[in-house]
Amino acid sequence: LSEGERRTGVPGVATGLAVTGAGGDVLYVEASLADPETGDTGVTLTGQLGDVMKESARIALSYLRSRGAELELPVGDLKDRGVHIHVPAGAVPKDGPSAGITMTTALASLLSGRQVRPDVAMTGEVSLTGRVLPIGGVKQKLLAAHRAGITTVLIPKRNEPDLDDVPADVLEQLTVFTVGDVREVLDLALEPAATAAAAA
Amino acid sequence: LSEGERRTGVPGVATGLAVTGAGGDVLYVEASLADPETGDTGVTLTGQLGDVMKESARIALSYLRSRGAELELPVGDLKDRGVHIHVPAGAVPKDGPSAGITMTTALASLLSGRQVRPDVAMTGEVSLTGRVLPIGGVKQKLLAAHRAGITTVLIPKRNEPDLDDVPADVLEQLTVFTVGDVREVLDLALEPAATAAAAA
Amino acid sequence: LSEGERRTGVPGVATGLAVTGAGGDVLYVEASLADPETGDTGVTLTGQLGDVMKESARIALSYLRSRGAELELPVGDLKDRGVHIHVPAGAVPKDGPSAGITMTTALASLLSGRQVRPDVAMTGEVSLTGRVLPIGGVKQKLLAAHRAGITTVLIPKRNEPDLDDVPADVLEQLTVFTVGDVREVLDLALEPAATAAAAA
Amino acid sequence: LSEGERRTGVPGVATGLAVTGAGGDVLYVEASLADPETGDTGVTLTGQLGDVMKESARIALSYLRSRGAELELPVGDLKDRGVHIHVPAGAVPKDGPSAGITMTTALASLLSGRQVRPDVAMTGEVSLTGRVLPIGGVKQKLLAAHRAGITTVLIPKRNEPDLDDVPADVLEQLTVFTVGDVREVLDLALEPAATAAAAA
Amino acid sequence: LSEGERRTGVPGVATGLAVTGAGGDVLYVEASLADPETGDTGVTLTGQLGDVMKESARIALSYLRSRGAELELPVGDLKDRGVHIHVPAGAVPKDGPSAGITMTTALASLLSGRQVRPDVAMTGEVSLTGRVLPIGGVKQKLLAAHRAGITTVLIPKRNEPDLDDVPADVLEQLTVFTVGDVREVLDLALEPAATAAAAA
Amino acid sequence: LSEGERRTGVPGVATGLAVTGAGGDVLYVEASLADPETGDTGVTLTGQLGDVMKESARIALSYLRSRGAELELPVGDLKDRGVHIHVPAGAVPKDGPSAGITMTTALASLLSGRQVRPDVAMTGEVSLTGRVLPIGGVKQKLLAAHRAGITTVLIPKRNEPDLDDVPADVLEQLTVFTVGDVREVLDLALEPAATAAAAA
Ligand SMILES: [Ca+2]
Ligand SMILES: [Ca+2]
Ligand SMILES: [Ca+2]
Ligand SMILES: [Ca+2]
Ligand SMILES: [Ca+2]
Ligand SMILES: [Ca+2]
Ligand SMILES: [Ca+2]
Ligand SMILES: [Ca+2]
Ligand SMILES: [Ca+2]
Ligand SMILES: [Ca+2]
Ligand SMILES: [Ca+2]
Ligand SMILES: [Ca+2]
């Protein structure tokens, strides 16, 4: 198994893309739901997330709380089970809105029990209504995805012009989808339900 | 569909006007109500809102909590469903009281299920009793509305003198209403109930 | 209608007097009670209030919670309905204890459904037992009241000597009452119950 | 009525002594209990109290919560009624532990319905077990009490040596009691139950 | 009665030892439990305690919550009664972990109704499992205990070598026990149950 | 008994390894569960833990809350019993993610009632899905483990290359396991259930 396959081998983990001091990098957004027997409720956010990134997690949760039933997700699970979103590495500060769709995808994966495809990485701000808003660093993020062995990348529709800056040899080895609504993201990124394990 | 139509295509989104470092700009206030099944309650405010703008959201909510029934809004929905107000873009700090009527309109749209007219933008502080109080930056805001393809703008009655500063060619392409009470705003901005989708 | 009449045209709004950088000014203290159907409880304070002014609001509330029944106010309303006190303009920082009796009056107006007389403005710190304590800026505050068309002003008994500093022509156009207990304030400022609209 | 008589004319108000920038001063500690109908519970502390003085209020409350029944106080009232302790003037910062016995006395007065004697002022830190601990500024505090027309002063037993510093002519016009336990304070400061009004 | 006897004359008070700017000093840790009738719950910590000392109080409480039943303490009392730990003097900042065993002893005294022996003082950090961990300032602390008329001192086993630094004439007038587990502390410091008054 | 045997002699204590200013050191992570009779719930973290280390504790808890039942741990105990995690010495600030697997092990020991083997020490960040992520300071940590008489050390699989830097004579006296999932850690570190004492 590759590192990416090990990391995303259970429902609740989605692969994002970030700009760091040293170019771009792949990051994993992990989500868990507490066993109802533990009595845990509420939301926990860890990974040294900055204010904007914490707000992204709140937006992802509210999107699913208000529209999850339309997506046939069992949103009642959010009532009696504590939600935790973590972004390793634990000691590295992270910020920015561009993990919004990755967080939404990790949560939808967890609720549906459908794993996220290990060959897919994504970047995009999400609005409260599910619109995918543009982000920065497309070039560095695609280079990082390519280095990590990712083959499919999802970016915001309004970032399509930024693809011109990506080296042609990298671009031809990647399948890039531009997306305008988070429903498109979920359709592209989640494995079919048939192969899904139970959410944990 | 235009960007504005895509953004305001569901109940709960209203178009506001802001003064930014680079002149004026259009902004979208998004509101959501959690599915009661999710057990979520309380109020969440995101979008890097400053103290004054967060207070505007509290005022908009209290206005609807105390006077919403007079407006025939189903205010009981506020009891069992978490409210979230978000103002994209997620990473851009925003402040000031002038989004007060926009927030009130987004919430009233959400509760009523009546969409906000996509051709309408607005600016104005709201008081706890629903009075519309004057704001700054009328000229930049109307120029921004015009650039964004908005055709109808609502401004506070006490800002009427500021219209003198707006270039005549812009002003003749805009329908400007001056308003003194937030009830006038809702009458002008909300689509008729007949065309309303279900609130989410 | 004058600005003051529009602003105080519903129960729950009282006119105060403040010292600002540019002399004195009239301010409106607005109070609302949430519809019990909304499930809202607790206290919300907005208007960029400083620590001392927030404490004034707490004192006004505790005064009514402990002694309101003696004043024949329906204090049980405070149990199931969220209280919000707001002082426009939303972006202007305000502080000091001198709005204490104005806050008490706004709340008593709201609970009783009796409007505050639009021609009355007031200034005075309130103690937890309802004593009216002296404040500063009497001269500037009376000049501001006069400019705003106010005809009756309530000031603390212990500020009576400060009236010597107010220009005689202003003073003769104002009816000034000096008050020692907040019950006197309510007797002078609230409209008779007969003309009262329903509290909101 | 003197100022002191007006201020302490209801149960729940006790006269303390403080050292200020300009010598000593008399201060009034006011306590109130919310009407159970208001649904208010919890503890509110106002008067721009510093950390140490807020802790004094917590200690006074815990002393009465743990030992109040031994003192035949109706401590069950503390369960369903919000407690508020306020120390005017609202805008003047105050700190230090020496108001401990004054706070305990104000609360015991409120619970018992017995007024505090208007001719009595006091200063002393209180421990969680009711011990009266020494404080500073005895000389300035007694001079202030004398100026304010107080005739009886209570000070900690361990401050007895500080009486040497008080001018003889002041001392002979004051009755000074030194106290080691807060029960002695209550015995000396509270009016007999017979003359008590109802607690509010 | 000596000062120490007066201060520790009720269950819930234990004598500790601290290093201060002026050498060592005796301090009293006071604990109280609210009368269940008062409805008070939760934990209150006062005495200008620093972060480390507040954590010591949390550790002492958790030790008793997890292992108190083994010690035959009525730990159910902690459920319905607010706990308050105070360390006079109220205005003196205090910090450090060395009051851990003193806090544990004060709480165990309170729960058991067994007074702490007035001739015993102690110093030692406590771990969550009840181990007594080494502390600093043994010499200054024993000198302070001696000055205060204490005859028995408990120190951590791992501090035994520090006794070499204590003057021989002081050491021969003190009985020093070295302890490794907080159970040993309680056996040595608590009066027999027979002489116990009711906990308060 | 050695120090390590005394410290880990009850379920709920695991031995970690840290890098300090003076090289590496052994540390003990202690966990406790409150007696349900005490009414205590929630999570308490002490030991002057920095933000990253507090997040590690939250991750360890969420891991067990979501996956503990698969590990046959009685996770329902987490519902009615307050959890406390403490890392002595109380006054020493600690931070970093590398105690993640040690915290998970201490909690799993506590829940299972199986003691942690006193000869085992460990270091490794844990992800929300139980992956063991690489940490720093392998050389100093192994030297510290060796000095403390530890014979078995668990490190993250991705830190295997760092073993090259450890002196050969130290390495040959240690049994080092490299681990990729926290389940391997628990298998290696926990004593068999048969020898376990009751959890406390
Ligand atoms: Ca970013
Ligand atoms: Ca799957
Ligand atoms: Ca603005
Ligand atoms: Ca509509
Ligand atoms: Ca003022
Ligand atoms: Ca005023
Ligand atoms: Ca004082
Ligand atoms: Ca003082
Ligand atoms: Ca210390
Ligand atoms: Ca000590
Ligand atoms: Ca006893
Ligand atoms: Ca570390």
Side-chain angles (χ1 to χ4, degrees):
Chain A
L1 290 180
S2 73
E3 172 72 8
E5 284 165 332
R6 275 195 302 266
R7 297 293 285 273
T8 63
V10 289
V13 185
T15 308
L17 297 168
V19 176
T20 67
D25 206 354
V26 162
L27 57 74
Y28 300 96
V29 172
E30 302 180 327
S32 75
L33 281 172
D35 191 324
E37 269 189 63
T38 64
D40 185 49
T41 58
V43 175
T44 306
L45 305 173
T46 54
Q48 295 297 294
L49 311 184
D51 284 352
V52 172
M53 201 162 179
K54 279 181 185 163
E55 289 194 353
S56 289
R58 298 282 168 187
I59 295 161
L61 272 163
S62 290
Y63 173 77
L64 292 172
R65 282 178 181 134
S66 66
R67 296 171 195 273
E70 296 170 26
L71 303 172
E72 298 186 8
L73 294 170
V75 292
D77 275 8
L78 295 169
K79 182 171 188 176
D80 301 315
R81 305 179 64 177
V83 179
H84 188 146
I85 298 175
H86 176 56
V87 189
V92 180
K94 305 161 197 86
D95 207 354
S98 74
I101 62 171
T102 321
M103 287 171 158
T104 311
T105 301
L107 288 166
S109 163
L110 186 68
L111 286 167
S112 66
R114 294 165 61 187
Q115 287 185 27
V116 183
R117 286 175 46 194
D119 55 318
V120 172
M122 62 190 75
T123 180
E125 179 174 342
V126 72
S127 89
L128 194 53
T129 59
R131 302 298 305 161
V132 180
L133 304 180
I135 47 75
V138 166
K139 180 183 170 188
Q140 297 98 310
K141 287 171 174 176
L142 265 66
L143 290 174
H146 179 253
R147 276 196 307 272
I150 293 291
T151 57
T152 302
V153 177
L154 315 184
I155 66 168
K157 191 157 287 181
R158 283 162 63 189
N159 282 110
E160 192 159 7
D162 298 325
L163 293 175
D164 296 346
D165 305 329
V166 183
D169 60 326
V170 167
L171 212 49
E172 72 188 12
Q173 295 178 60
L174 291 173
T175 306
V176 178
F177 292 97
T178 65
V179 288
D181 189 284
V182 79
R183 293 175 195 227
E184 300 166 57
V185 175
L186 300 182
D187 283 346
L188 290 162
L190 295 183
E191 301 267 18
T195 68
Chain B
L1 290 180
S2 74
E3 172 72 7
E5 284 165 332
R6 275 195 301 267
R7 298 292 286 272
T8 63
V10 289
V13 185
T15 308
L17 296 167
V19 176
T20 66
D25 206 355
V26 163
L27 57 75
Y28 300 95
V29 173
E30 303 179 327
S32 75
L33 281 173
D35 191 324
E37 269 188 64
T38 64
D40 185 49
T41 58
V43 175
T44 306
L45 306 173
T46 54
Q48 294 297 295
L49 311 184
D51 283 352
V52 172
M53 201 163 180
K54 280 181 185 162
E55 289 193 353
S56 289
R58 297 282 168 188
I59 295 161
L61 272 163
S62 289
Y63 173 76
L64 292 172
R65 282 179 181 133
S66 66
R67 295 170 196 273
E70 296 170 27
L71 303 173
E72 300 186 7
L73 294 170
V75 292
D77 274 9
L78 296 169
K79 182 171 188 176
D80 302 315
R81 306 179 64 175
V83 179
H84 188 146
I85 297 175
H86 176 56
V87 188
V92 179
K94 306 161 197 87
D95 207 353
S98 76
I101 62 171
T102 321
M103 286 170 157
T104 311
T105 301
L107 288 165
S109 163
L110 186 68
L111 285 168
S112 67
R114 294 165 60 187
Q115 287 184 27
V116 183
R117 286 175 46 194
D119 55 318
V120 172
M122 64 191 73
T123 180
E125 179 175 342
V126 71
S127 90
L128 194 53
T129 59
R131 302 298 306 162
V132 181
L133 304 181
I135 46 75
V138 166
K139 180 183 171 188
Q140 297 98 311
K141 287 170 174 177
L142 265 65
L143 290 174
H146 180 253
R147 275 196 308 273
I150 293 292
T151 57
T152 302
V153 177
L154 315 185
I155 66 168
K157 191 157 287 181
R158 283 162 63 190
N159 281 111
E160 191 158 9
D162 297 325
L163 293 174
D164 296 347
D165 305 329
V166 184
D169 60 325
V170 167
L171 211 49
E172 73 188 12
Q173 294 179 60
L174 291 173
T175 306
V176 178
F177 292 96
T178 65
V179 289
D181 189 284
V182 80
R183 294 174 195 229
E184 300 167 57
V185 176
L186 301 182
D187 283 345
L188 290 162
L190 294 183
E191 301 267 18
T195 68
Chain C
L1 289 180
S2 73
E3 172 72 7
E5 285 165 331
R6 276 195 301 267
R7 299 291 287 272
T8 63
V10 288
V13 185
T15 308
L17 296 167
V19 177
T20 66
D25 207 354
V26 163
L27 57 76
Y28 301 97
V29 173
E30 304 180 325
S32 75
L33 280 172
D35 191 324
E37 269 189 63
T38 64
D40 185 49
T41 58
V43 176
T44 306
L45 306 174
T46 54
Q48 293 297 295
L49 311 185
D51 284 351
V52 172
M53 202 163 180
K54 280 181 185 163
E55 289 193 354
S56 289
R58 297 282 169 187
I59 295 161
L61 272 163
S62 289
Y63 173 77
L64 292 172
R65 282 179 182 135
S66 66
R67 297 173 194 273
E70 295 170 27
L71 303 172
E72 299 186 8
L73 294 170
V75 292
D77 274 8
L78 295 169
K79 182 171 188 176
D80 301 316
R81 307 179 64 176
V83 180
H84 189 145
I85 298 175
H86 176 57
V87 189
V92 179
K94 306 162 196 87
D95 207 354
S98 77
I101 63 171
T102 321
M103 286 170 158
T104 311
T105 302
L107 288 166
S109 164
L110 186 68
L111 285 168
S112 67
R114 293 165 61 187
Q115 287 184 28
V116 182
R117 286 176 46 195
D119 55 317
V120 173
M122 63 191 72
T123 181
E125 179 174 341
V126 71
S127 90
L128 194 53
T129 59
R131 303 298 305 162
V132 181
L133 303 181
I135 46 76
V138 166
K139 180 182 171 188
Q140 297 98 310
K141 286 170 174 177
L142 265 65
L143 291 174
H146 180 253
R147 275 195 309 272
I150 292 291
T151 57
T152 302
V153 178
L154 314 185
I155 66 168
K157 192 158 286 181
R158 284 162 63 188
N159 282 110
E160 192 159 9
D162 297 325
L163 293 174
D164 296 347
D165 304 329
V166 183
D169 61 326
V170 167
L171 211 48
E172 73 187 11
Q173 294 178 61
L174 291 173
T175 306
V176 178
F177 292 96
T178 64
V179 288
D181 190 285
V182 80
R183 294 174 195 230
E184 301 166 57
V185 176
L186 301 182
D187 283 346
L188 290 163
L190 295 182
E191 302 268 17
T195 68
Chain D
L1 288 180
S2 73
E3 173 72 8
E5 285 165 331
R6 276 194 301 267
R7 298 292 286 273
T8 63
V10 288
V13 185
T15 308
L17 296 168
V19 176
T20 66
D25 207 354
V26 162
L27 57 77
Y28 300 96
V29 173
E30 303 180 326
S32 75
L33 280 172
D35 192 325
E37 269 189 62
T38 64
D40 185 49
T41 57
V43 176
T44 306
L45 305 174
T46 55
Q48 293 298 293
L49 311 184
D51 284 351
V52 172
M53 201 163 180
K54 280 182 185 161
E55 288 193 353
S56 289
R58 297 282 168 186
I59 295 162
L61 272 163
S62 290
Y63 172 77
L64 292 172
R65 283 179 181 134
S66 65
R67 296 172 195 272
E70 295 169 28
L71 303 173
E72 298 185 9
L73 294 170
V75 293
D77 275 9
L78 296 169
K79 182 172 189 176
D80 302 315
R81 306 179 64 176
V83 179
H84 189 146
I85 297 176
H86 176 56
V87 189
V92 180
K94 305 161 197 88
D95 208 353
S98 76
I101 62 171
T102 321
M103 287 171 157
T104 311
T105 301
L107 288 166
S109 163
L110 186 68
L111 286 168
S112 67
R114 293 165 62 187
Q115 286 184 29
V116 183
R117 286 176 46 195
D119 56 317
V120 173
M122 64 191 72
T123 180
E125 179 174 343
V126 70
S127 89
L128 193 53
T129 59
R131 303 296 307 160
V132 180
L133 304 181
I135 47 76
V138 166
K139 179 182 171 189
Q140 297 99 309
K141 286 170 175 176
L142 264 65
L143 290 173
H146 180 252
R147 275 195 308 273
I150 293 291
T151 57
T152 301
V153 178
L154 314 185
I155 65 168
K157 192 157 287 181
R158 284 163 61 189
N159 282 111
E160 192 159 7
D162 297 325
L163 293 174
D164 295 347
D165 305 329
V166 182
D169 60 326
V170 167
L171 212 48
E172 73 187 12
Q173 295 178 62
L174 291 173
T175 305
V176 178
F177 292 97
T178 64
V179 288
D181 190 283
V182 79
R183 293 175 195 229
E184 300 166 58
V185 175
L186 301 182
D187 283 346
L188 290 163
L190 295 182
E191 301 269 17
T195 67
Chain E
L1 289 181
S2 73
E3 173 72 7
E5 285 165 330
R6 276 195 301 268
R7 298 292 285 274
T8 62
V10 289
V13 185
T15 308
L17 296 168
V19 176
T20 66
D25 207 354
V26 162
L27 57 76
Y28 301 96
V29 173
E30 304 180 325
S32 75
L33 280 172
D35 192 323
E37 269 189 62
T38 63
D40 184 50
T41 58
V43 175
T44 306
L45 305 174
T46 55
Q48 294 298 293
L49 310 184
D51 284 351
V52 172
M53 201 164 181
K54 280 182 184 162
E55 288 193 353
S56 289
R58 296 283 168 186
I59 296 161
L61 272 164
S62 289
Y63 172 77
L64 292 172
R65 283 179 181 134
S66 65
R67 296 171 195 273
E70 296 169 27
L71 303 173
E72 299 185 8
L73 295 171
V75 293
D77 275 8
L78 296 169
K79 181 171 189 176
D80 302 315
R81 306 179 65 175
V83 179
H84 188 147
I85 297 176
H86 176 55
V87 189
V92 180
K94 305 161 197 88
D95 207 353
S98 75
I101 62 172
T102 321
M103 287 170 157
T104 311
T105 301
L107 288 166
S109 163
L110 186 68
L111 286 168
S112 67
R114 294 165 60 186
Q115 286 184 27
V116 182
R117 286 175 46 195
D119 56 317
V120 172
M122 65 191 72
T123 180
E125 178 174 343
V126 71
S127 89
L128 194 53
T129 59
R131 302 298 306 161
V132 181
L133 304 181
I135 47 75
V138 167
K139 179 183 171 188
Q140 297 99 310
K141 287 171 174 176
L142 264 64
L143 290 174
H146 180 253
R147 276 195 307 273
I150 293 292
T151 57
T152 302
V153 178
L154 314 185
I155 65 167
K157 190 157 287 180
R158 283 162 63 188
N159 282 111
E160 193 159 7
D162 297 325
L163 293 175
D164 296 346
D165 305 329
V166 184
D169 59 326
V170 168
L171 211 49
E172 73 188 10
Q173 294 178 61
L174 291 172
T175 306
V176 178
F177 292 96
T178 64
V179 288
D181 190 285
V182 80
R183 294 175 196 229
E184 301 166 56
V185 176
L186 301 182
D187 283 346
L188 290 163
L190 295 182
E191 301 267 18
T195 67
Chain F
L1 289 179
S2 74
E3 173 72 7
E5 285 165 330
R6 276 195 301 267
R7 298 292 286 274
T8 63
V10 289
V13 184
T15 308
L17 296 168
V19 176
T20 66
D25 206 356
V26 162
L27 57 75
Y28 300 96
V29 173
E30 303 180 326
S32 75
L33 280 172
D35 191 324
E37 270 190 62
T38 63
D40 185 49
T41 57
V43 176
T44 306
L45 305 174
T46 54
Q48 294 297 294
L49 311 184
D51 284 351
V52 172
M53 201 163 180
K54 280 181 184 162
E55 289 193 354
S56 290
R58 297 283 168 187
I59 295 161
L61 272 164
S62 289
Y63 173 77
L64 292 171
R65 283 179 181 134
S66 65
R67 296 171 195 272
E70 296 170 26
L71 304 173
E72 299 185 8
L73 294 171
V75 293
D77 275 7
L78 296 169
K79 182 172 188 175
D80 301 315
R81 306 179 64 176
V83 179
H84 188 146
I85 297 176
H86 176 56
V87 189
V92 179
K94 305 161 197 86
D95 207 354
S98 75
I101 62 171
T102 321
M103 287 170 157
T104 311
T105 301
L107 288 165
S109 163
L110 187 67
L111 286 168
S112 66
R114 293 164 62 186
Q115 287 184 28
V116 183
R117 286 175 45 194
D119 55 318
V120 173
M122 63 191 73
T123 180
E125 179 174 342
V126 71
S127 89
L128 194 52
T129 59
R131 302 298 305 162
V132 181
L133 304 180
I135 46 76
V138 166
K139 180 184 171 187
Q140 297 97 311
K141 287 171 174 176
L142 263 66
L143 291 174
H146 180 253
R147 276 194 307 272
I150 291 292
T151 57
T152 302
V153 177
L154 314 185
I155 65 168
K157 192 158 286 180
R158 283 162 63 188
N159 282 111
E160 193 159 6
D162 298 325
L163 292 175
D164 296 347
D165 305 328
V166 184
D169 59 326
V170 167
L171 211 50
E172 73 189 11
Q173 294 178 62
L174 292 173
T175 305
V176 178
F177 292 96
T178 64
V179 288
D181 189 285
V182 80
R183 294 175 195 227
E184 301 167 56
V185 175
L186 301 182
D187 283 346
L188 290 164
L190 294 182
E191 301 268 17
T195 67

